[in-house]
Amino acid sequence: MDIRQLKYLDALITAGSFTKAAGQLNMAQPALSQSIKRLEQELGVILVDRGANKSSKSLSLTAEGEALHQHAKLIIKKMTQAEAHIKSMANLTKGEVRVAVPGMLGSYYLPRRLMAFRHQHPQLKLSLFEGGTRDTLRMLHNEDVDIAIITANDLTDEFDSHLLLQEQMVVAVGKEHPLSQVDAVSLEAFFQHELVFFKPGYFHRDWMLEQAEKLGLTANIAFETNLINLIKQVVAQEYGITSVLEMVIEKHDNICAKPFEPPIFLDLHIAWKKQRPISQADKAFVEFLMHNR
């Protein structure tokens, strides 16, 4: 039993006769009769009572035929809805983009681009999940999101990806802090000060702690929070220094951004799982970001 046979049965009942149904289906009447007969043979029941009401030439269904027709109508309706849904997704008139991003990008890089994408595709739903790198990777692995922005260090053979941007990591210090007077800051000098860091699970923190370990130094973490604006306030008030992506420091922050010596850059990729094809909506979002970097 296939969907075509169910459509034939529905057309037969709707038209009321084999001749009319065959005409509506643009097929020969004997071919329609044979298709219904094969369906009956496959199911082992009689669906159409061909001997009933011959004088009026009206069609009569058996009890099994009535039951199957009720199922057929539901299946055909669902198939029609599914086809319309998929076509609307392909045409970008329906769909959802689920993307996970690190906190700094979610707050400083994506907002303007998200609004521009939404303006271009108003029928699509955008679901943004912001958090630490570990959370972002977990959501991508568990397929809670379809695409994610991750660091180059987190790329594996499991993912397809495009390089989205390369951003410099800088030291953020208050304007009266001693480091505000230097041109660049070494990692050794950075770790001599009290630090304001994200909590565990953020790539930025993990990477900096790895550098301290390589240098045989201990990071003096005086303050931990995942709230970027709070981090900047703590730095501006000289309670500690931090390291962030350069995009985070804005003119009104009362903070100085100093490059590391040597400079440190972070490669960020937009990625998705190879074994899980992304939707047309996701593809449109990826292409939009790549064209609006």
Side-chain angles (χ1 to χ4, degrees), residues 2-268:
D2 58 38
I3 186 65
R4 184 178 58 178
Q5 290 173 309
L6 296 179
K7 287 182 176 179
Y8 288 172
L9 179 65
D10 182 59
L12 178 61
I13 305 309
T14 302
S17 74
F18 280 94
T19 302
K20 289 181 180 179
Q24 293 175 3
L25 293 168
N26 196 28
M27 63 187 300
Q29 188 271 333
L32 176 60
S33 297
Q34 286 300 315
S35 178
I36 297 299
K37 183 165 290 188
R38 282 195 296 271
L39 179 58
E40 291 177 322
Q41 291 172 347
E42 182 181 341
L43 295 175
V45 297
I46 299 298
L47 301 173
V48 180
D49 187 353
R50 295 166 177 81
N53 301 319
K54 283 188 176 181
S55 59
S56 63
K57 298 183 180 181
S58 62
L59 199 68
S60 177
L61 291 178
T62 64
E64 292 83 359
E66 288 283 2
L68 181 59
H69 186 223
Q70 294 304 312
H71 287 292
K73 288 191 293 184
L74 290 174
I75 293 170
I76 293 168
K77 181 179 179 180
K78 288 293 184 183
M79 286 288 290
T80 301
Q81 291 174 340
E83 183 178 4
H85 190 180
I86 298 305
K87 284 182 177 179
S88 68
M89 292 177 69
N91 295 329
L92 299 180
T93 57
K94 183 176 289 187
E96 180 180 8
V97 178
R98 303 183 304 165
V99 56
V101 300
M104 283 186 274
L105 264 67
S107 298
Y108 293 93
Y109 179 78
L110 281 181
R112 178 172 57 84
R113 292 168 174 82
L114 290 176
M115 295 305 100
F117 179 78
R118 186 77 171 81
H119 179 75
Q120 187 171 316
H121 299 289
Q123 304 301 321
L124 298 181
K125 178 182 177 181
L126 284 171
S127 296
L128 182 68
F129 301 88
E130 190 179 48
T133 309
R134 304 285 80 81
D135 289 334
T136 297
L137 281 172
R138 176 183 52 77
M139 295 187 75
L140 192 56
H141 279 296
N142 294 344
E143 299 182 359
D144 296 323
V145 296
D146 304 304
I147 52 181
I149 298 176
I150 60 178
T151 68
N153 288 17
D154 293 313
L155 287 177
T156 66
D157 291 338
E158 179 184 4
F159 302 124
D160 276 328
S161 68
H162 296 307
L163 175 62
L164 181 61
L165 75 156
Q166 184 182 74
E167 184 74 3
Q168 187 168 15
M169 294 170 62
V170 297
V171 180
V173 301
K175 290 196 172 180
E176 301 301 323
H177 193 280
L179 291 180
S180 67
Q181 304 303 312
V182 303
D183 293 328
V185 181
S186 67
L187 282 170
E188 290 87 350
F190 177 78
F191 288 115
Q192 290 174 11
H193 298 270
E194 290 191 334
L195 304 174
V196 186
F197 269 178
F198 290 102
K199 292 185 177 182
Y202 281 70
F203 171 83
H204 219 75
R205 173 198 172 105
D206 295 344
W207 189 87
M208 294 303 296
L209 293 182
E210 286 177 10
Q211 305 316 302
E213 186 176 353
K214 289 178 182 178
L215 294 169
L217 301 173
T218 300
N220 181 11
I221 302 175
F223 201 95
E224 289 184 344
T225 178
N226 294 338
L227 301 175
I228 298 176
N229 285 331
L230 181 55
I231 289 176
K232 292 201 291 185
Q233 289 178 33
V234 172
V235 170
Q237 294 176 34
E238 314 264 346
Y239 288 112
I241 67 173
T242 192
S243 170
V244 292
L245 297 179
E246 190 173 20
M247 68 175 71
V248 171
I249 307 303
E250 300 172 298
K251 291 181 180 179
H252 58 78
D253 284 334
N254 203 33
I255 290 174
C256 294
K258 299 294 180 178
F260 281 100
E261 180 57 49
I264 299 172
F265 292 89
L266 188 64
D267 289 344
L268 293 160

